[in-house]
Amino acid sequence: MTPDAPGRTPLPAGVHPFPHPHLLGIEGLQPWEIGFLLDEAESWIEFNRLPAKSDGRLRGLTQINAFFENSTRTLLSFEIAGKRLGADVVNMGVSQSSVKKGETLLDTALTLNAMHPDVIVIRHDSSGAVQLIAEKVGCPVLNAGDGRHEHPTQALLDALTIRRRKGRIAGLTVAICGDILHSRVARSNFQLLGALGAKVRAVAPPTLIGEDTDRLGVDVYTDMDKGLDGADVVMMLRLQRERMSGAYFPSTREYFHFYGLTEQRLAAAKPDVLVMHPGPMNRGVEIDTRVADDISRSAITEQVEMGVAVRMACLDVLTRARRGVEGWS
Amino acid sequence: MTALAFTNARLIDPESGLDRPGTLIVEDRQILSIDGPVPQGAETVDCGSKVLAPALIDAGVFKADAAACLAGGIARVLLMPDQSPPLDDPAVVERAQRIGKPHVWVHPLAAATRGLGGTELAEIGLMKLAGAVGVATGRGWIADSGVMHRLMQYATAFDLVVVTHAEDHSLAGDAAATAGEFATRLGLPSAPAFAEALAVARDVRLAAATGARLHIRQVTTAESLDIIRRAKARGVRVTCGVTPAHMLLNDQATLGYRSFARLSPPLRGETDRLAILDALVDGTIDVIASGHDPRTQEDKRLPFADAAPGMVGAETLLALALTPVHDGRMDLPALLARLTSNPARLFGLPGGRLAPGEPADLVLFDPSGPWRVDADQMAASSDNTPFDGMPVQGRVVMTVKGGEIFRA
């Protein structure tokens, strides 16, 4: 069922495969740099399926997961990724942090930095917060989601999933549906899928699409049926109900009626359409249970698996310079 | 159902501009032809050279008052969401469509926000599927510009017209009159007329930003009309309406504390009234509607400021609206467009046209027939007209709805 993994992405002559100190977003990455990270991640997939999964390349390195916003799956995924590479992983959740005691974000960053971490993974509910910290610390920073801005490892794992299922990304039509306005996943995916040559659509009620979203290189649809027409991939986004019922749309009942992904609605897409969701899902709100659980089309659990591989690749690549890997210093 | 042949009629179709003597043939509840062959066994109605036009469409009533509609030549009404319970749920909208049967077609306007509270969006997509032809803010305006912005954005997904009441409530509040000499003499709580212009300016700006279709149900001041005139010229999708009361009465009508003249928006000064007539002639005003709002004695037999606003108007709509025609300022087809084809087009309704295939909703009337408004003789469910005793011209002879004749 899975097509053969494609060969490594060709690199232009004389170019370093990943010259960036941090991974703050997909914006600014060259297509071959994205391809390089995907290729690196590819090599971890089989490894992760072995019973003994330990690789010692990050042994002795300290990885801090600083999560200023609640997370379960992303935090777990980064923790597992770090541990499989042999890093000493510590998690700092918002509930334990001094942020609650009134410390400013920059003071927290300086405090973390004084402990000499070798890589910091950060999630924060303010757009741009991760970059702000990255400017103040002396080690690589990985953005695990900042506000409505970017969530680069999610976009990478989505791309890896699509590439493995479809054998390519260029030329595919990908419909990203739901709460585009509040979604960092959508913004990272617009950039990544666009850079790799997919035709990307944003599908949402007009209240949940940001102004001038079409300027981000995507086609905007407010009619779900039109937005799904002929799609190769349908990527559903979580409706952040806690933030907005009544303000951006009237009710989950109405939302599901016009924007929920159902079998009937999915019939407009290609017969071999791939259904994705970054999780956690609201069944019956943005996605019908039968669609979510249809293993022939749904890649939702596969996305989680790819997530670990992608994060291992990112942790590996970003720490190569400090580990003295040849060609990376 | 037998076919009908309306012979010897002055046929007026505002949509096409048709205005000539002829015969209109009706069969199976629809218009079959103009001057076509008369089917076997058709019943003949001699129109006696009177005007036969599409039945009126009253774009905004608070009660589907069948008797008043038939007396007034109205076959279709847009029902405001201010009902009990409010039209803010698909099931309620579904039911509201049926309350006029068999005399008048009722097209509900969905409440824009839950309970008309102005904060949470109502299920306007589902209500459209249930039969709503637009969404309305009701008697009030939505003060929160963020809510209004999202409402207009959201409405574009369903191509629904947003019908607003434009008065800045923080100014208009409990005011019972327009600020000015008469309100001051009478000592009535009043609000400046620009409370309307502020609201109109905001809503027009939001319509421009979102591309939504906006219909301001009542525009009553020169300043508001200027804003709309300019917005239309820029291509903003805005339309507006007015009631005969604001066309024909000014705030002097409130002298004597006549609570039947307590309206919302309140009656304006003479300058504004004249501006309304100009705007009607130049096309800035698209629709004339009655705002039909029967009020009980308990609501109206109160000191002026304590009385509920509102007036009955369905059966006087045509005669009063004809005033600019009698004054020689508009021709009859152009005036009728504001009562028929314009509201039909704005809200995507059937009818409003004399053309084969359209529903046989017709009004036969004598444009110069004189009569006197008499509150004691009203067909409406209440008598709160500010025009009691006024002599008018334009008498409805019969109303035809779905091929069925109702004599006035």
Side-chain angles (χ1 to χ4, degrees):
Chain A
M1 191 170 110
T2 306
D4 289 338
R8 291 193 76 96
T9 310
L11 214 58
V15 161
H16 191 279
F18 199 83
H20 310 282
H22 309 292
L23 180 64
L24 301 179
I26 300 297
E27 187 177 15
L29 298 187
Q30 299 296 335
W32 60 85
E33 294 167 359
I34 295 167
F36 173 73
L37 291 177
L38 295 180
D39 295 343
E40 288 290 313
E42 195 89 47
S43 68
W44 291 109
I45 296 169
E46 283 310 314
F47 172 90
N48 281 334
R49 291 174 180 169
L50 298 172
K53 317 178 228 316
S54 81
D55 178 285
R57 68 184 65 193
L58 261 58
R59 184 167 300 127
L61 267 58
T62 302
Q63 172 189 339
I64 299 180
N65 296 329
F67 276 55
F68 297 92
E69 184 186 87
N70 286 331
S71 159
T72 309
R73 63 179 65 209
T74 307
L75 177 59
L76 201 56
S77 183
F78 269 108
E79 183 172 357
I80 287 171
K83 284 181 168 163
R84 286 186 185 165
L85 294 172
D88 297 316
V89 184
V90 287
N91 296 329
M92 190 203 77
V94 66
S95 52
Q96 302 118 285
S97 77
S98 303
V99 174
K100 289 228 156 152
K101 299 172 192 163
E103 187 175 70
T104 67
L105 185 61
L106 286 180
D107 286 337
T108 307
L110 294 174
T111 306
L112 293 178
N113 193 46
M115 296 176 193
H116 299 292
D118 299 290
V119 59
I120 306 181
V121 180
I122 303 170
R123 167 170 288 192
H124 198 284
D125 63 4
S126 287
S127 305
V130 176
Q131 183 183 327
L132 190 67
I133 297 174
E135 287 162 4
K136 298 292 171 192
V137 298
C139 71
V141 168
L142 247 157
N143 183 358
D146 65 323
R148 307 177 181 186
H149 177 225
E150 282 237 40
H151 192 354
T153 56
Q154 178 70 44
L156 287 163
L157 74 87
D158 289 337
L160 186 59
T161 308
I162 296 171
R163 202 173 78 165
R164 286 171 59 83
R165 282 284 195 108
K166 296 283 180 193
R168 68 193 165 106
I169 286 173
L172 295 180
T173 297
V174 182
I176 303 180
C177 312
D179 182 5
I180 307 284
L181 180 68
H182 297 103
S183 176
R184 52 197 174 213
V185 176
R187 278 166 188 67
S188 287
N189 267 310
F190 291 166
Q191 311 255 8
L192 191 153
L193 295 169
L196 297 190
K199 289 192 290 287
V200 185
R201 297 174 180 173
V203 185
T207 43
L208 289 174
I209 300 179
E211 206 66 30
D212 289 338
T213 293
D214 55 328
R215 298 284 300 254
L216 275 54
V218 300
D219 295 321
V220 172
Y221 292 80
T222 56
D223 181 327
M224 181 94 166
D225 295 316
K226 289 184 186 141
L228 294 188
D229 186 36
D232 295 287
V233 178
V234 176
M235 200 181 279
M236 298 304 295
L237 299 173
R238 186 172 76 92
L239 198 59
Q240 309 195 16
R241 300 186 267 183
E242 64 279 9
R243 288 197 197 171
M244 58 197 187
S245 191
Y248 294 87
F249 61 93
S251 65
T252 52
R253 169 171 83 162
E254 175 152 322
Y255 187 86
F256 186 71
H257 193 278
F258 292 102
Y259 296 98
L261 189 64
T262 57
E263 293 274 0
Q264 191 185 15
R265 198 155 263 154
L266 200 53
K270 293 229 176 99
D272 61 345
V273 64
L274 188 65
V275 175
M276 304 174 72
H277 194 300
M281 282 184 280
N282 293 311
R283 291 172 186 261
V285 176
E286 71 254 356
I287 190 164
D288 184 70
T289 283
R290 270 180 300 173
V291 176
D293 295 343
D294 177 357
I295 51 165
S296 66
R297 291 190 295 203
S298 166
I300 295 170
T301 51
E302 196 173 328
Q303 287 172 272
V304 179
E305 182 187 6
M306 294 307 121
V308 177
V310 157
R311 284 156 188 144
M312 289 170 79
C314 292
L315 290 167
D316 171 28
V317 168
L318 287 175
T319 55
R320 282 182 189 178
R322 47 178 56 219
R323 287 186 284 123
V325 176
E326 196 181 338
W328 289 79
S329 42
Chain B
M1 187 170 264
T2 49
L4 295 167
F6 293 90
T7 60
N8 190 23
R10 177 182 168 192
L11 301 173
I12 297 185
D13 177 36
E15 182 88 339
S16 62
L18 173 101
D19 181 0
R20 64 168 171 78
T23 298
L24 186 92
I25 314 289
V26 164
E27 194 177 55
D28 288 338
R29 302 177 172 277
Q30 291 186 337
I31 295 172
L32 184 66
S33 74
I34 292 173
D35 291 340
V38 179
Q40 281 272 301
E43 188 186 323
T44 300
V45 179
D46 184 343
C47 297
S49 303
K50 297 193 172 56
V51 172
L52 188 66
L56 310 195
I57 299 174
D58 195 349
V61 300
F62 291 89
K63 184 179 166 114
D65 195 341
C69 288
L70 293 178
I74 298 164
R76 266 169 221 280
V77 297
L78 266 65
L79 183 65
M80 293 296 286
D82 314 69
Q83 308 295 316
S84 180
L87 307 184
D88 69 348
D89 182 273
V92 181
V93 167
E94 171 91 45
R95 186 187 151 277
Q97 286 176 95
R98 296 197 293 266
I99 59 179
K101 287 187 176 180
H103 300 104
V104 58
W105 304 104
V106 174
H107 299 284
L109 292 170
T113 54
R114 274 176 206 279
L116 291 165
T119 51
E120 285 181 58
L121 297 182
E123 294 176 320
I124 66 177
L126 294 175
M127 287 192 280
K128 180 183 180 181
L129 297 183
V133 297
V135 292
T137 65
R139 293 183 193 276
W141 93 309
I142 292 177
D144 187 319
S145 301
V147 172
M148 196 64 193
H149 184 213
R150 285 191 292 270
L151 166 67
M152 290 211 196
Q153 279 185 318
Y154 193 72
T156 61
F158 304 99
D159 195 28
L160 277 168
V161 186
V162 178
V163 180
T164 65
H165 177 95
E167 269 187 298
D168 184 328
H169 187 75
S170 49
L171 284 165
D174 298 325
T178 303
E181 181 193 335
F182 294 104
T184 303
R185 280 183 191 281
L186 294 170
L188 289 174
S190 64
F194 64 75
E196 180 179 296
L198 287 176
V200 167
R202 184 199 71 173
D203 289 351
V204 164
R205 183 66 189 85
L206 292 174
T210 56
R213 291 197 286 149
L214 170 68
H215 178 71
I216 304 173
R217 195 169 61 84
Q218 304 180 82
V219 178
T220 64
T221 73
E223 197 181 356
S224 312
L225 288 163
D226 268 344
I227 294 169
I228 291 167
R229 194 175 283 119
R230 279 183 276 123
K232 282 185 165 187
R234 288 198 311 275
V236 179
R237 301 170 80 192
V238 58
T239 53
C240 68
V242 75
T243 67
H246 292 95
M247 284 166 57
L248 303 177
L249 301 177
N250 63 21
D251 53 1
Q252 286 191 56
T254 58
L255 288 174
Y257 300 103
R258 293 169 53 209
S259 68
F260 285 2
R262 165 112 160 82
L263 305 175
S264 169
L267 290 170
R268 306 299 191 187
E270 180 65 3
T271 316
D272 284 328
R273 187 186 79 83
L274 294 174
I276 290 170
L277 291 173
D278 291 343
L280 204 55
V281 172
D282 75 17
T284 303
I285 295 177
D286 307 88
V287 170
I288 306 172
S290 73
H292 190 71
D293 193 3
R295 291 292 193 172
T296 58
Q297 297 278 343
E298 302 87 83
D299 284 339
K300 282 293 191 185
R301 293 188 76 176
L302 291 167
F304 190 88
D306 302 336
M311 63 188 156
V312 294
E315 61 203 280
T316 51
L317 175 62
L318 179 62
L320 295 168
L322 286 173
T323 306
V325 176
H326 298 316
D327 292 348
R329 295 200 65 190
M330 289 178 84
D331 64 32
L332 190 50
L335 188 280
L336 287 175
R338 285 151 180 77
L339 294 161
T340 57
S341 52
N342 283 3
R345 193 174 57 250
L346 285 180
F347 294 95
L349 307 177
R353 299 165 196 91
L354 282 195
E358 289 290 338
D361 297 344
L362 308 165
V363 59
L364 179 67
F365 69 98
D366 174 2
S368 51
W371 58 290
R372 188 179 289 273
V373 179
D374 181 352
D376 294 334
Q377 300 294 318
M378 293 241 149
S381 59
S382 192
D383 62 356
N384 51 302
T385 172
F387 293 102
D388 190 22
M390 183 186 258
V392 292
Q393 264 184 296
R395 181 191 284 280
V396 174
V397 178
M398 69 171 65
T399 303
V400 181
K401 184 242 179 192
E404 210 173 325
I405 295 176
F406 298 94
R407 278 177 205 281

